[in-house]
Amino acid sequence: MSNAKLEVQNLTLKYGDALAVDNVSFSIAHGECLTILGANGAGKSSIGKSLAGLLPPASGNIILDGDDVTNLEPYLISQRKLSYLPEGRAIFPTLTVEENLMLGARKLSADPKAAVQSAYDLFSRLGDRRKQQARTLSGGEQQMLAVSKALISDPEVIVVDELSLGLAPLIIDDIYTALGKAREANNVTIVLIEQYIDRALSFADRALLMVHGHEVWSGPADSNADGIVRGFLSGETAA
Ligand code: ATP
């Protein structure tokens, strides 16, 4: 029996008749980080959505903690401590920072006030702006809030889609640092969907590269991975 935290077996995803992901398999150990890399349209976000229960597979299985969760509703997946941070900023723009955090904390955390405080400990800028409406925050601060909302439920698995999209490098550093702290503190298992190859490879343990819905390479996120991934992606651009 496998001791994987999360296992994806022969996953095929479609939108109507259009194939988005073709027969992809991977397995992630408890506390491990797998980054899924690839160009626009490669199928990365579709995998993220299916892990969160938002895109039921055409075929294949998703196994979480040894249980088949393939066709579970998103709320049941989140009850199993899988937290999904979609592309874009998953926040309520007209609520304050504190209200956004409280919504997540009340639902899932045993001690909501302490959970909100831990978000401010992670990102002091959120604490400074706790009474501001989320829509008035900078893009980086909104992403900090989105990450905090995903972490506040004390997840065991977090699926993060395009964390660094549209953000300045210094902000990206802050956000990755926070994610790293959460990972160290709680041994969170992470699926990191990224286009920013350098950052993703330095954070992750292993990488999986998607091209046009197919898994073309997977391996350790070590010093060789960068060249391999860029080789595939430049070939794709040239094709
Ligand atoms: P991006 O970084 O641009 O989000 P991606 O690698 O995450 O790219 P997906 O968003 O998973 O790729 O898209 C995979 C394929 O599925 C693409 O061909 C895309 O056009 C298609 N697709 C994605 N979402 C939908 C949808 N809601 N309806 C129809 N086709 C879709």
Side-chain angles (χ1 to χ4, degrees):
M1 155 130 180
S2 154
N3 64 355
K5 181 74 186 171
L6 179 67
E7 212 172 340
V8 164
Q9 301 168 336
N10 307 104
L11 185 70
T12 294
L13 301 172
K14 290 182 176 177
Y15 296 94
D17 288 336
L19 187 65
V21 169
D22 188 15
N23 198 29
V24 167
S25 299
F26 56 84
S27 155
I28 313 181
H30 189 85
E32 193 178 32
C33 174
L34 174 80
T35 182
I36 302 180
L37 302 170
N40 279 332
K44 308 179 302 294
S45 295
S46 300
I47 294 175
K49 284 180 204 158
S50 77
L51 295 176
L54 296 166
L55 179 60
S59 61
N61 294 88
I62 300 170
I63 313 289
L64 182 60
D65 290 318
D67 295 329
D68 193 326
V69 297
T70 312
N71 289 306
L72 287 191
E73 295 286 335
Y75 80 97
L76 291 172
I77 300 222
S78 95
Q79 278 178 7
R80 285 171 172 258
K81 298 243 162 215
L82 183 144
S83 188
Y84 171 58
L85 181 54
E87 194 175 331
R89 316 262 143 75
I91 55 175
F92 295 104
T94 58
L95 298 185
T96 65
V97 167
E98 188 135 309
E99 287 165 347
N100 265 281
L101 292 172
M102 266 299 178
L103 271 182
R106 281 223 181 93
K107 219 168 24 170
L108 290 158
S109 169
D111 186 349
K113 282 199 173 143
V116 170
Q117 185 54 50
S118 71
Y120 298 152
D121 293 342
L122 211 51
F123 295 114
S124 59
R125 286 158 72 161
L126 292 183
D128 298 342
R129 289 162 175 67
R130 66 183 75 193
K131 300 290 177 211
Q132 272 181 236
Q133 282 191 342
R135 67 185 173 85
T136 68
L137 303 178
S138 70
E141 289 160 356
Q142 289 185 2
Q143 188 64 298
M144 289 175 191
L145 181 56
V147 170
S148 299
K149 275 187 71 186
L151 290 173
I152 212 160
S153 56
D154 204 15
E156 292 177 9
V157 180
I158 178 163
V159 178
V160 192
D161 195 353
E162 301 279 6
L163 193 62
S164 52
L165 195 69
L167 299 180
L170 282 177
I171 302 288
I172 298 173
D173 284 347
D174 286 350
I175 291 176
Y176 268 99
T177 302
L179 194 61
K181 279 188 196 160
R183 182 185 178 189
E184 267 170 41
N186 303 318
N187 207 21
V188 183
T189 304
I190 301 175
V191 179
L192 187 67
I193 295 165
E194 259 294 0
Q195 283 200 41
Y196 192 171
I197 298 171
D198 298 352
R199 179 64 63 177
L201 288 176
S202 62
F203 188 86
D205 302 302
R206 283 189 304 120
L208 182 153
L209 178 63
M210 299 286 300
V211 173
H212 299 308
H214 300 277
E215 174 187 346
V216 294
W217 177 81
S218 68
D222 59 15
S223 52
N224 295 322
D226 190 90
I228 295 171
V229 169
R230 285 182 200 282
F232 272 112
L233 292 180
S234 64
E236 190 202 0
T237 309

